């Protein structure tokens, strides 16, 4: 049954209807238009109704001003409703998530939050990689863990979280240890056949991300990597290997992941990454285009998108 979306305002004027969301749409008050709009605002219009063939119905549908409240994906109708603002076949696209397989490298301030977002989307298949145990200092930004988890393996807590928060049959594979090379990484995850690799490792971030890109290229799957500092965060997608600097300057101090970390800024980056992970898995439009970087300046709350020229 199709109805006017709840975020839409419809005004009936003397000779027209005024329909508002992002823009204002004016519809003449013909007999057919009156019947379509008043039914959409009232009891609804069924898929079998001849009204769905009307021009005004098609205009409203194409502008995402109406939605279908008969959901074939029953586990989270609110998510389906949200994505109907972007897709006409939202329920079909979201059902694809049940088949998608996500590998997450690093379950700290970014990776653990991403995992929570993806569980909320109902994704069921994960390969989780981390070598660390929960520490008290993690709790200011890694909200998947509690004080009772201090000293326990992060992969074990995260695996338990998935089973407790995702409905239906769930598959979670884990590897406790560090990643040293692309060959090692590929041998670990190859049988899992991931749909995407999420690199959220903090140390050594650049090296592990480089190795993850190698595996992504070999397996022909996308790789997303991101991180956050005290006043700046960024992430990017790439299916290619980042070129190494051919020159060998003397490094007096190598950049490392900052010791200071703040829950809300971690959450900002993780949320943006999680959105684009989901969009990639359902063939939707993501914010970070191929080989572009999304950067957030927390000092002035500005978001930048820029291309990278250091790709093969």
């Amino acid at each position: 049954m199709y109805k006017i979306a709840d975020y839409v305002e419809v005004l009936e004027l003397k000779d027209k209807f005024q329909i508002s969301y992002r823009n204002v749409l004016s519809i003449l008050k013909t007999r057919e238009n009156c019947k379509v709009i008043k039914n959409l605002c009232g009891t609804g219009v069924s898929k079998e109704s001849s009204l769905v063939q009307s021009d005004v119905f098609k205009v409203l549908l194409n502008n995402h001003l109406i939605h279908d409240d008969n959901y074939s994906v029953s586990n989270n109708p609110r998510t389906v409703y949200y994505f109907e603002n972007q897709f006409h076949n939202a329920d079909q696209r979201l059902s694809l998530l049940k088949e998608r397989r996500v590998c997450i490298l690093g379950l700290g301030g970014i990776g653990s939050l991403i995992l929570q977002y993806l569980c909320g989307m109902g994704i069921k298949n994960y390969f989780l990689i981390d070598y660390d145990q929960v520490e008290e200092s993690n709790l200011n930004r890694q909200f998947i863990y509690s004080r009772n988890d201090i000293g326990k393996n992060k992969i074990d807590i995260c695996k338990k979280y998935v089973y407790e928060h995702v409905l239906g049959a769930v598959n979670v594979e884990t590897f406790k240890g560090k990643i040293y090379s692309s060959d090692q990484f590929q041998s670990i995850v190859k049988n899992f056949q991931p749909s995407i690799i999420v690199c959220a490792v903090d140390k050594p971030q650049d090296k592990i991300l480089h190795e993850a890109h190698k595996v992504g290229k070999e397996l022909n799957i996308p790789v997303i990597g991101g991180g956050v500092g005290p006043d700046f965060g960024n992430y990017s997608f790439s299916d290619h290997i980042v070129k190494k600097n051919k020159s060998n300057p003397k490094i007096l101090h190598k950049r490392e992941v900052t010791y200071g970390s703040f829950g809300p800024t971690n959450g900002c980056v993780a949320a943006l990454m999680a959105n684009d992970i989901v969009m990639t898995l359902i063939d939707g439009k993501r914010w970070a285009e191929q080989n572009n970087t999304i950067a957030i300046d927390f000092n002035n709350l500005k978001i930048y998108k820029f291309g990278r020229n250091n790709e093969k």
Side-chain angles (χ1 to χ4, degrees), residues 31-145:
R31 177 177 295 182
E32 181 180 66
N33 290 349
C34 285
K35 188 173 183 181
V36 171
I37 292 174
K38 289 189 176 182
N39 274 276
L40 288 170
C41 292
T43 57
V45 174
S46 69
K47 292 184 177 180
E48 295 75 25
S49 171
S50 60
L51 296 179
V52 300
Q53 302 301 324
S54 67
D55 290 338
V56 68
F57 183 91
K58 294 176 182 177
V59 168
L60 296 174
L61 183 65
N62 289 334
N63 284 277
H64 304 288
L65 299 172
I66 58 179
H67 73 94
D68 179 9
D69 62 1
N70 292 324
Y71 302 111
S72 61
V73 179
S74 60
N75 62 331
N76 199 335
R78 290 178 181 265
T79 303
V80 179
Y81 190 108
Y82 172 83
F83 277 101
E84 280 191 342
N85 185 258
Q86 303 175 52
F87 314 118
H88 297 317
N89 58 342
D91 56 345
Q92 297 174 18
R93 293 206 187 199
L94 292 174
S95 67
L96 295 174
L97 292 176
K98 297 178 181 179
E99 312 300 325
R100 300 298 190 245
R101 309 173 72 81
V102 180
C103 175
I104 303 180
L105 272 166
L107 298 168
I110 299 294
S112 65
L113 291 171
I114 288 175
L115 178 64
Q116 289 181 288
Y117 286 124
L118 298 185
C119 286
M121 292 297 300
I123 295 176
K124 299 176 178 295
N125 300 289
Y126 299 92
F127 198 112
L128 307 178
I129 300 175
D130 200 292
Y131 69 90
D132 211 357
Q133 289 81 40
V134 179
E135 300 176 0
E136 186 173 5
S137 62
N138 299 150
L139 303 183
N140 76 322
R141 65 199 183 281
Q142 300 175 27
F143 307 117
I144 200 169
Y145 310 118

Side-chain angles (χ1 to χ4, degrees), residues 78 105 161 198 201:
R78 290 178 181 265
L105 272 166
Y161 182 91
V198 181
V201 175

Side-chain angles (χ1 to χ4, degrees), residues 52-298:
V52 300
Q53 302 301 324
S54 67
D55 290 338
V56 68
F57 183 91
K58 294 176 182 177
V59 168
L60 296 174
L61 183 65
N62 289 334
N63 284 277
H64 304 288
L65 299 172
I66 58 179
H67 73 94
D68 179 9
D69 62 1
N70 292 324
Y71 302 111
S72 61
V73 179
S74 60
N75 62 331
N76 199 335
R78 290 178 181 265
T79 303
V80 179
Y81 190 108
Y82 172 83
F83 277 101
E84 280 191 342
N85 185 258
Q86 303 175 52
F87 314 118
H88 297 317
N89 58 342
D91 56 345
Q92 297 174 18
R93 293 206 187 199
L94 292 174
S95 67
L96 295 174
L97 292 176
K98 297 178 181 179
E99 312 300 325
R100 300 298 190 245
R101 309 173 72 81
V102 180
C103 175
I104 303 180
L105 272 166
L107 298 168
I110 299 294
S112 65
L113 291 171
I114 288 175
L115 178 64
Q116 289 181 288
Y117 286 124
L118 298 185
C119 286
M121 292 297 300
I123 295 176
K124 299 176 178 295
N125 300 289
Y126 299 92
F127 198 112
L128 307 178
I129 300 175
D130 200 292
Y131 69 90
D132 211 357
Q133 289 81 40
V134 179
E135 300 176 0
E136 186 173 5
S137 62
N138 299 150
L139 303 183
N140 76 322
R141 65 199 183 281
Q142 300 175 27
F143 307 117
I144 200 169
Y145 310 118
S146 71
R147 292 194 174 277
N148 292 332
D149 299 324
I150 293 174
K152 298 178 182 177
N153 294 329
K154 289 184 176 180
I155 57 171
D156 295 335
I157 304 304
C158 288
K159 181 176 182 178
K160 179 182 177 183
Y161 182 91
V162 176
Y163 278 97
E164 290 179 345
H165 287 80
V166 180
L167 296 175
V170 174
N171 173 42
V172 184
E173 299 182 35
T174 61
F175 175 79
K176 183 180 184 299
K178 293 184 178 182
I179 299 300
Y180 297 100
S181 69
S182 58
D183 290 339
Q184 176 215 15
F185 181 30
Q186 186 168 338
S187 68
I188 292 169
V189 301
K190 187 174 183 179
N191 290 336
F192 178 71
Q193 298 181 319
S195 308
I196 190 171
I197 294 172
V198 181
C199 188
V201 175
D202 52 5
K203 293 181 181 180
Q205 185 181 42
D206 292 342
K207 181 181 186 302
I208 301 302
L209 181 57
H210 183 76
E211 300 304 312
H213 283 317
K214 288 183 181 179
V215 175
K217 186 176 183 180
E218 185 68 25
L219 300 181
N220 193 30
I221 58 173
V223 176
I224 182 173
V228 63
D231 59 357
F232 204 82
N234 67 83
Y235 74 95
S236 61
F237 264 97
S238 176
D239 299 328
H240 303 287
I241 303 172
V242 179
K243 288 183 179 179
K244 292 184 177 180
N245 193 338
K246 294 181 179 179
S247 63
N248 295 301
K250 182 178 181 180
I251 300 175
L252 298 179
H253 182 271
K254 183 174 176 58
R255 181 172 60 191
E256 297 285 353
V257 175
T258 179
Y259 174 78
S261 198
F262 182 47
T265 55
N266 279 258
C268 288
V269 175
L272 294 177
M273 291 177 67
N275 175 85
D276 277 7
I277 291 166
V278 171
M279 287 298 183
T280 301
L281 296 176
I282 63 174
D283 300 320
K285 184 178 180 181
R286 63 195 188 202
W287 292 318
E289 299 172 0
Q290 180 67 20
N291 298 331
N292 279 358
T293 295
I294 297 290
I296 312 171
D297 188 335
F298 298 122

